[in-house]
Short mmCIF file of all heavy atoms in Angstrom, two decimals:
data_model
loop_
_atom_site.label_atom_id
_atom_site.label_comp_id
_atom_site.label_asym_id
_atom_site.label_seq_id
_atom_site.Cartn_x
_atom_site.Cartn_y
_atom_site.Cartn_z
N LEU A 116 -22.11 -262.20 36.40
CA LEU A 116 -22.61 -262.77 35.15
C LEU A 116 -22.69 -261.69 34.06
O LEU A 116 -22.25 -261.88 32.93
CB LEU A 116 -23.99 -263.39 35.37
CG LEU A 116 -24.03 -264.66 36.22
CD1 LEU A 116 -25.48 -265.08 36.51
CD2 LEU A 116 -23.29 -265.80 35.54
N PHE A 117 -23.24 -260.56 34.43
CA PHE A 117 -23.42 -259.47 33.50
C PHE A 117 -22.07 -258.91 33.07
O PHE A 117 -21.79 -258.67 31.89
CB PHE A 117 -24.27 -258.41 34.18
CG PHE A 117 -24.87 -257.39 33.27
CD1 PHE A 117 -25.77 -257.77 32.29
CD2 PHE A 117 -24.55 -256.06 33.40
CE1 PHE A 117 -26.33 -256.83 31.46
CE2 PHE A 117 -25.11 -255.12 32.57
CZ PHE A 117 -26.00 -255.50 31.59
N ARG A 120 -19.96 -261.16 30.87
CA ARG A 120 -20.50 -261.18 29.50
C ARG A 120 -20.00 -259.97 28.72
O ARG A 120 -19.52 -260.09 27.59
CB ARG A 120 -22.02 -261.20 29.57
CG ARG A 120 -22.70 -261.15 28.23
CD ARG A 120 -24.21 -261.23 28.37
NE ARG A 120 -24.84 -260.60 27.22
CZ ARG A 120 -25.30 -259.36 27.18
NH1 ARG A 120 -25.28 -258.62 28.26
NH2 ARG A 120 -25.83 -258.87 26.09
N ARG A 123 -16.05 -260.16 28.32
CA ARG A 123 -15.64 -261.20 27.36
C ARG A 123 -15.80 -260.70 25.93
O ARG A 123 -14.89 -260.80 25.10
CB ARG A 123 -16.48 -262.46 27.60
CG ARG A 123 -16.23 -263.58 26.62
CD ARG A 123 -17.18 -264.75 26.89
NE ARG A 123 -17.09 -265.72 25.83
CZ ARG A 123 -17.78 -265.64 24.68
NH1 ARG A 123 -18.62 -264.67 24.47
NH2 ARG A 123 -17.63 -266.57 23.76
N LYS A 124 -16.97 -260.12 25.65
CA LYS A 124 -17.23 -259.63 24.28
C LYS A 124 -16.30 -258.46 23.95
O LYS A 124 -15.80 -258.36 22.82
CB LYS A 124 -18.68 -259.17 24.15
CG LYS A 124 -19.60 -260.23 23.66
CD LYS A 124 -20.88 -259.65 23.10
CE LYS A 124 -21.66 -260.74 22.41
NZ LYS A 124 -23.05 -260.37 22.22
N LEU A 132 -11.29 -260.57 17.15
CA LEU A 132 -11.82 -261.91 16.89
C LEU A 132 -13.31 -261.88 16.55
O LEU A 132 -13.83 -262.80 15.92
CB LEU A 132 -11.58 -262.82 18.11
CG LEU A 132 -10.11 -263.13 18.38
CD1 LEU A 132 -9.95 -263.98 19.61
CD2 LEU A 132 -9.50 -263.85 17.19
N GLU A 148 -35.37 -253.26 7.19
CA GLU A 148 -36.37 -254.22 7.67
C GLU A 148 -37.70 -253.55 7.96
O GLU A 148 -38.76 -254.15 7.86
CB GLU A 148 -35.86 -254.91 8.93
CG GLU A 148 -34.81 -255.96 8.65
CD GLU A 148 -34.23 -256.57 9.92
OE1 GLU A 148 -34.65 -256.17 11.02
OE2 GLU A 148 -33.36 -257.44 9.80
N LYS A 169 -39.90 -252.11 22.07
CA LYS A 169 -39.11 -253.30 22.37
C LYS A 169 -37.62 -252.98 22.37
O LYS A 169 -36.88 -253.38 23.27
CB LYS A 169 -39.41 -254.40 21.35
CG LYS A 169 -38.68 -255.70 21.64
CD LYS A 169 -38.62 -256.55 20.39
CE LYS A 169 -37.41 -257.45 20.48
NZ LYS A 169 -37.01 -258.01 19.22
N LEU A 173 -35.51 -253.32 25.78
CA LEU A 173 -34.46 -254.33 25.94
C LEU A 173 -33.10 -253.69 26.20
O LEU A 173 -32.32 -254.20 27.01
CB LEU A 173 -34.39 -255.22 24.69
CG LEU A 173 -35.47 -256.29 24.63
CD1 LEU A 173 -35.35 -257.09 23.35
CD2 LEU A 173 -35.39 -257.23 25.82
N VAL A 176 -33.32 -252.23 29.79
CA VAL A 176 -33.43 -253.15 30.93
C VAL A 176 -32.05 -253.43 31.51
O VAL A 176 -31.92 -253.67 32.72
CB VAL A 176 -34.17 -254.45 30.53
CG1 VAL A 176 -33.23 -255.54 30.06
CG2 VAL A 176 -35.04 -254.94 31.63
N VAL A 247 -16.32 -262.00 53.70
CA VAL A 247 -14.96 -261.47 53.55
C VAL A 247 -14.92 -260.00 53.96
O VAL A 247 -15.82 -259.23 53.63
CB VAL A 247 -14.49 -261.63 52.09
CG1 VAL A 247 -13.21 -260.84 51.82
CG2 VAL A 247 -14.29 -263.10 51.75
N ASP A 248 -13.84 -259.61 54.68
CA ASP A 248 -13.57 -258.20 54.96
C ASP A 248 -12.39 -257.78 54.09
O ASP A 248 -11.26 -258.19 54.36
CB ASP A 248 -13.18 -257.99 56.44
CG ASP A 248 -14.41 -257.81 57.30
OD1 ASP A 248 -15.37 -257.18 56.81
OD2 ASP A 248 -14.39 -258.29 58.44
N THR A 263 -8.54 -256.63 37.64
CA THR A 263 -9.44 -257.05 36.55
C THR A 263 -8.93 -256.50 35.22
O THR A 263 -8.88 -257.19 34.21
CB THR A 263 -10.87 -256.55 36.80
OG1 THR A 263 -11.28 -256.95 38.09
CG2 THR A 263 -11.83 -257.11 35.78
N MET B 107 -41.33 -256.40 8.08
CA MET B 107 -41.28 -256.27 9.56
C MET B 107 -40.86 -257.59 10.15
O MET B 107 -41.17 -258.66 9.67
CB MET B 107 -42.65 -255.90 10.11
CG MET B 107 -43.03 -254.46 9.87
SD MET B 107 -42.08 -253.34 10.93
CE MET B 107 -42.70 -253.75 12.53
N LYS B 108 -40.17 -257.53 11.26
CA LYS B 108 -39.76 -258.76 11.93
C LYS B 108 -40.99 -259.43 12.53
O LYS B 108 -41.93 -258.79 12.94
CB LYS B 108 -38.82 -258.44 13.09
CG LYS B 108 -37.48 -257.94 12.65
CD LYS B 108 -36.63 -257.74 13.90
CE LYS B 108 -35.46 -256.86 13.58
NZ LYS B 108 -34.69 -256.53 14.77
N SER B 111 -40.52 -261.96 18.41
CA SER B 111 -39.21 -262.50 18.78
C SER B 111 -39.31 -263.19 20.12
O SER B 111 -40.28 -263.06 20.85
CB SER B 111 -38.18 -261.39 18.81
OG SER B 111 -38.61 -260.39 19.68
N GLU B 116 -34.19 -263.59 24.79
CA GLU B 116 -33.43 -262.34 24.80
C GLU B 116 -33.17 -261.88 26.23
O GLU B 116 -32.13 -261.33 26.53
CB GLU B 116 -34.19 -261.26 24.02
CG GLU B 116 -34.25 -261.57 22.53
CD GLU B 116 -34.68 -260.38 21.69
OE1 GLU B 116 -34.21 -259.26 21.96
OE2 GLU B 116 -35.46 -260.57 20.77
N GLY B 119 -30.45 -263.91 27.53
CA GLY B 119 -29.23 -263.51 26.83
C GLY B 119 -28.60 -262.25 27.38
O GLY B 119 -27.44 -261.98 27.13
N LEU B 120 -29.37 -261.46 28.17
CA LEU B 120 -28.79 -260.27 28.78
C LEU B 120 -27.73 -260.66 29.81
O LEU B 120 -26.81 -259.91 30.07
CB LEU B 120 -29.88 -259.44 29.46
CG LEU B 120 -30.88 -258.77 28.54
CD1 LEU B 120 -31.95 -258.07 29.35
CD2 LEU B 120 -30.19 -257.76 27.63
N LEU B 121 -27.90 -261.81 30.44
CA LEU B 121 -26.96 -262.24 31.48
C LEU B 121 -25.93 -263.24 30.96
O LEU B 121 -24.83 -263.30 31.45
CB LEU B 121 -27.71 -262.87 32.65
CG LEU B 121 -28.36 -261.92 33.65
CD1 LEU B 121 -29.12 -262.70 34.70
CD2 LEU B 121 -27.34 -261.03 34.32
N ASP B 123 -24.10 -265.14 27.59
CA ASP B 123 -23.96 -265.48 26.17
C ASP B 123 -22.99 -266.63 25.97
O ASP B 123 -22.93 -267.22 24.92
CB ASP B 123 -23.59 -264.27 25.30
CG ASP B 123 -22.22 -263.70 25.62
OD1 ASP B 123 -21.57 -264.20 26.53
OD2 ASP B 123 -21.81 -262.76 24.95
N ASP B 147 -10.44 -264.26 54.87
CA ASP B 147 -10.57 -263.15 53.92
C ASP B 147 -9.85 -263.42 52.60
O ASP B 147 -10.17 -262.80 51.58
CB ASP B 147 -10.03 -261.85 54.55
CG ASP B 147 -10.93 -261.36 55.67
OD1 ASP B 147 -12.09 -261.80 55.75
OD2 ASP B 147 -10.47 -260.52 56.48
N VAL B 149 -10.24 -265.73 50.69
CA VAL B 149 -11.13 -266.37 49.72
C VAL B 149 -11.63 -265.37 48.67
O VAL B 149 -12.05 -265.74 47.59
CB VAL B 149 -12.31 -267.06 50.44
CG1 VAL B 149 -13.47 -266.12 50.66
CG2 VAL B 149 -12.75 -268.28 49.69
N MET B 154 -11.77 -264.12 42.78
CA MET B 154 -11.31 -263.36 41.61
C MET B 154 -10.54 -264.27 40.66
O MET B 154 -10.75 -264.24 39.44
CB MET B 154 -10.43 -262.19 42.08
CG MET B 154 -9.77 -261.41 40.94
SD MET B 154 -10.96 -260.46 40.00
CE MET B 154 -10.80 -258.86 40.76
N TRP B 158 -11.54 -265.46 36.77
CA TRP B 158 -10.63 -265.28 35.64
C TRP B 158 -10.33 -266.60 34.93
O TRP B 158 -10.13 -266.62 33.71
CB TRP B 158 -9.34 -264.57 36.05
CG TRP B 158 -9.47 -263.12 35.76
CD1 TRP B 158 -9.58 -262.10 36.64
CD2 TRP B 158 -9.56 -262.53 34.45
NE1 TRP B 158 -9.73 -260.90 35.99
CE2 TRP B 158 -9.72 -261.15 34.63
CE3 TRP B 158 -9.52 -263.04 33.15
CZ2 TRP B 158 -9.85 -260.26 33.57
CZ3 TRP B 158 -9.65 -262.16 32.07
CH2 TRP B 158 -9.81 -260.79 32.30
N SER B 164 -12.96 -269.51 28.33
CA SER B 164 -13.87 -269.08 27.27
C SER B 164 -13.13 -268.33 26.18
O SER B 164 -13.38 -268.51 24.97
CB SER B 164 -14.95 -268.18 27.87
OG SER B 164 -15.74 -267.60 26.87
N ASN B 172 -11.55 -269.23 16.12
CA ASN B 172 -11.36 -268.22 15.08
C ASN B 172 -10.10 -268.44 14.26
O ASN B 172 -9.90 -267.78 13.25
CB ASN B 172 -11.27 -266.83 15.71
CG ASN B 172 -12.64 -266.20 15.79
OD1 ASN B 172 -13.11 -265.60 14.84
ND2 ASN B 172 -13.29 -266.38 16.90
#
Side-chain angles (χ1 to χ4, degrees):
Chain A
L116 290 173
F117 196 63
R120 177 178 155 262
R123 176 184 171 275
K124 268 199 171 162
L132 293 178
E148 285 176 359
K169 183 200 154 197
L173 281 178
V176 92
V247 168
D248 273 324
T263 307
Chain B
M107 285 288 293
K108 291 183 197 174
S111 56
E116 292 194 42
L120 292 176
L121 280 177
D123 65 358
D147 290 343
V149 88
M154 174 69 97
W158 264 110
S164 172
N172 269 275

